Amino acid sequence: MTVDSVLQLKCSCNQYPWGKKGSESLAARLAAKTPGWDENDKGNKTDFKIDEERFYSEMWMGTYPVLPSYVLSTGEDLQDVIDKNPDELIGKGVMNKFGHTKLPYLPKVLSISKALPLQLHPNKELSAKIHSKDSEKFTDPNHKPEIALALTKFEAFCGFKPLDQVSKLVHLEPLKQFLPAVQKPSFDDMTLKHFVNTVLKADEDTIAKVQEELKKLPKASFGGDSYIPDLIPRLQSQYEKTDPGTIVALITMNYLVLDPGQSIYIPADGIHAYLSGDIIECMARSNNVLNVGFCPAADRDSADLFCSVLTFSPHSPDEALLKQQSYPGSVSGKTNVFKPPMSEFNMLTTELGAGEKETLKPVKGPGIMIVTKGAATMKAQGKDFELKEGAIFFIGQGVETSYEAKDGLQMFTAYVE
């Protein structure tokens, strides 16, 4: 008996205050495109309807239990369906590689109206340690490297600026107080870590005073980072003037403005804070995070813990960017791939004009696909599937899919093999 390996999914959005309001949220609009269950509705799930007074931040796609996806035709949890036929849907190779039947990645659509918390996602060793101590807050023992792929103009703080650039900024008069009393001959990563940790632990009056002093400096004082005094009021309007994230982000981190189609890679332990835009985000299967800024003081994690695992990669804007490559599994050449330096997933991007066709060869692992623009007919397992904006599908291992666009098509597919 042939197992249905192509399953349309129903997904939902969470609501964090940094999300976009109502229908302004692309994440919410895409989630609302899919109707309710066709049959066997047990009454415990309903259509996702947009409340114009709420802020919608993330639509999750996959099997992470915090916000799982459901099979549209039956209302079943996708993980329950996978567990009934793991060999056919996940594949023995992927199960042997990761040691379980769960998807090793978690794709999302994010809609961002103001800065997310200044954060990092801890490595596997620390994740296991903090999970064992507080499994309610840190819900798994895994790491969480990730990519962010811009769907619209996307602003982000990502990794650290080059050391010579940071060195000039931290020696501005208002910031010297955060440097070590005895300084090394040259500014290095350990000095940078000391600066970050000292800022994060400074009292609120000091942080507020320093921000005001920075705003008074002439723009020329900031060299090539002349955007800094302009962004201070913007961040202060989003969070308190006493939030240390403003100083850490603007003085030490790369400020990136990405165009649609560009992507960045965030390694485990990599410092980052997304600022605005709509993105496809995909990460290793985890929900662990340490926050130290752009959030209420009560929600901040230990600065010492944060800095103890802080990585210094990337260390420039170019190092942060993840470039797309041609995808050998594309028959028509209409699909490219982002391949982050990790084993849990790659991300395909497919762009078709009206009437254009594409075929994607089978891979030895499962995929999650979302249509973000346009419409098409997809052929798989001898069936036709109508794709429209917001359509989300699970595609089991070993399945070839073909597409014919109607008025054009933009879609993204996370997969592992």
Side-chain angles (χ1 to χ4, degrees), residues 163-182:
L163 283 172
D164 59 345
Q165 196 173 339
V166 181
S167 179
K168 293 174 183 176
L169 292 170
V170 299
H171 283 91
L172 291 171
E173 194 58 41
L175 299 170
K176 288 181 180 179
Q177 60 185 298
F178 302 119
L179 292 169
V182 178

Side-chain angles (χ1 to χ4, degrees), residues 158-166 187-190 192 252 254 311-320:
C158 174
F160 291 113
K161 298 171 182 175
L163 283 172
D164 59 345
Q165 196 173 339
V166 181
F187 188 83
D188 61 9
D189 284 334
M190 292 303 101
L192 171 56
T252 71
N254 300 304
T311 184
F312 297 100
S313 176
H315 225 322
S316 73
D318 286 344
E319 287 182 15

Side-chain angles (χ1 to χ4, degrees), residues 345-364:
F345 69 88
N346 295 324
M347 178 66 71
L348 302 179
T349 68
T350 302
E351 298 267 0
L352 299 180
E356 290 186 333
K357 298 179 180 181
E358 172 66 296
T359 296
L360 299 179
K361 298 176 183 177
V363 296
K364 297 179 180 179

